[in-house]
Amino acid sequence: MNWDNIDTHAKNWVKEAGEKIRSSFDKTLDIRTKSNPNDLVTNIDQEIEQFFIKKVRETFPEHKILGEEGFGDKFESLDGIVWIIDPIDGTMNFVHQQRNFAISLGVYENGVGKIGMIYDVVHDELYHAMSGQGAYMNGEKLPVSEDRTVKEAIIALNATWVMENRRIDHNLLIPLAREVRGTRSYGSAALELVFVATGRLDAYISLRLAPWDVAGGAVIVEELGGKVTNMRGEKLDFLTQDTLLVARPGLHETILRDYLMNGQWEKNSDSE
Ligand code: IPD
Ligand code: CA
Ligand code: CA
């Protein structure tokens, strides 16, 4: 498999898609809701996903595509080469703020991450990694992640998870939120993952993410030595929704052991 060729095409397409998104800023968006009134999708999310699908199918007809907006293939396994794409991660920010969103792209072979790209479109910052070859931001090599104590850590955590909710006893994360140096919430899982990779954040926790939210960023974080698991400390399968704990090495184990008690907290895990 010529991974350099796949990587070159992926980079060109991500940049081209970013240009399309930037040029949409002065046009009127067609905004709809999906599963609930706060779950937004725009014509641009759909157009960008279709753009990637067309490019991948023309160039690599044997590859498959898993995309958030549902224009790709249906999956029972991740056998073969699969592009996992979120055309706009952070759609609410895209609509309300025109910033703090990203294109997220991961290319997986038999379920193993080979290429990860997160493109912060507004800042023209492309974070990219190929497994075993280091991770980069716009061609500049990123340093490997090192451990950090909980007391010195900034973690990304959505306020939802420290309010009463269906997924977790909200009291559980309060000691962690109290102990860390600071908490943040950017509203784009893809950006929160690369911020852990670059050290702007030390950890990111979420109770419900889809494969396309995580697939691209996971390759970048892991390439730098960071850890990506669910909140039970298990590997993600990139086929189903799951919880997420991403952190610097060391800090990941500390959070799992001292605050998440290895998953003895989950409630209603089968329901939405
Ligand atoms: C969402 C963002 C958000 C996360 C949600 C995701 P979308 O993705 O990543 O930060 O909290 O769970 O669904 O819908 O904007 O692509
Ligand atoms: Ca997303
Ligand atoms: Ca999306």
Side-chain angles (χ1 to χ4, degrees):
M1 192 57 54
N2 188 342
W3 287 101
D4 285 326
N5 182 39
I6 298 173
D7 187 58
T8 303
H9 278 95
K11 274 200 192 102
N12 291 341
W13 296 337
V14 164
K15 288 293 190 112
E16 203 179 326
E19 189 51 49
K20 286 177 190 292
I21 295 174
R22 281 190 295 268
S23 63
S24 78
F25 282 163
D26 52 10
K27 301 198 182 100
T28 308
L29 287 175
D30 174 10
I31 306 165
R32 292 182 208 164
T33 59
K34 295 195 280 187
S35 60
N36 66 63
N38 300 326
D39 185 9
L40 307 179
V41 62
T42 74
N43 54 312
I44 306 299
D45 297 66
Q46 295 179 333
E47 282 166 29
I48 297 297
E49 179 161 315
Q50 283 165 324
F51 164 81
F52 278 109
I53 289 173
K54 185 166 180 286
K55 293 288 188 192
V56 174
R57 289 205 172 131
E58 275 169 9
T59 318
F60 304 111
E62 69 285 11
H63 295 187
K64 288 180 283 179
I65 305 139
L66 173 59
E68 170 165 27
E69 307 309 337
F71 299 107
D73 301 297
K74 301 280 165 267
F75 287 87
E76 271 157 29
S77 82
L78 284 190
D79 291 350
I81 297 186
V82 181
W83 293 60
I84 307 179
I85 297 172
D86 192 338
I88 298 183
D89 180 64
T91 297
M92 198 187 289
N93 291 346
F94 170 63
V95 169
H96 285 254
Q97 308 179 334
Q98 295 194 335
R99 65 189 66 206
N100 298 323
F101 64 88
I103 297 171
S104 173
L105 183 155
V107 189
Y108 281 61
E109 185 183 37
N110 300 323
V112 179
K114 293 289 189 181
I115 291 173
M117 285 182 199
I118 304 292
Y119 187 35
D120 179 340
V121 171
V122 172
H123 293 108
D124 188 23
E125 288 176 344
L126 177 63
Y127 300 88
H128 53 104
M130 252 213 281
S131 173
Q133 300 197 21
Y136 299 79
M137 198 277 281
N138 288 347
E140 210 169 296
K141 198 159 196 203
L142 295 166
V144 297
S145 309
E146 283 166 17
D147 191 9
R148 180 159 293 172
T149 62
V150 169
K151 274 189 180 313
E152 290 171 319
I154 301 181
I155 62 164
L157 179 66
N158 194 308
T160 313
W161 313 127
V162 285
M163 300 188 301
E164 205 158 342
N165 68 80
R166 278 176 293 183
R167 288 178 183 272
I168 186 170
D169 172 1
H170 63 289
N171 292 306
L172 190 100
L173 290 173
I174 293 174
L176 178 63
R178 197 176 277 135
E179 191 74 6
V180 291
R181 178 165 282 169
T183 55
R184 299 288 184 272
S185 181
Y186 293 92
S188 160
L191 286 180
E192 283 159 311
L193 273 145
V194 286
F195 289 172
V196 174
T198 58
R200 289 177 191 160
L201 288 171
D202 303 299
Y204 169 49
I205 289 176
S206 179
L207 270 288
R208 182 169 181 253
L209 288 174
W212 43 79
D213 298 318
V214 187
V219 177
I220 301 170
V221 171
E222 287 181 342
E223 188 56 28
L224 295 172
K227 302 279 180 232
V228 182
T229 66
N230 66 19
M231 284 170 62
R232 294 174 174 275
E234 300 156 347
K235 242 167 121 300
L236 305 175
D237 66 10
F238 295 106
L239 275 173
T240 50
Q241 286 192 346
D242 207 341
T243 59
L244 180 71
L245 169 63
V246 185
R248 291 172 177 274
L251 180 62
H252 186 276
E253 288 76 21
T254 307
I255 293 175
L256 259 186
R257 186 191 60 230
D258 296 350
Y259 297 90
L260 303 181
M261 302 175 302
N262 299 315
Q264 299 309 305
W265 41 264
E266 233 166 338
K267 52 181 189 179
N268 295 342
S269 54
D270 293 334
S271 67
E272 266 308 285

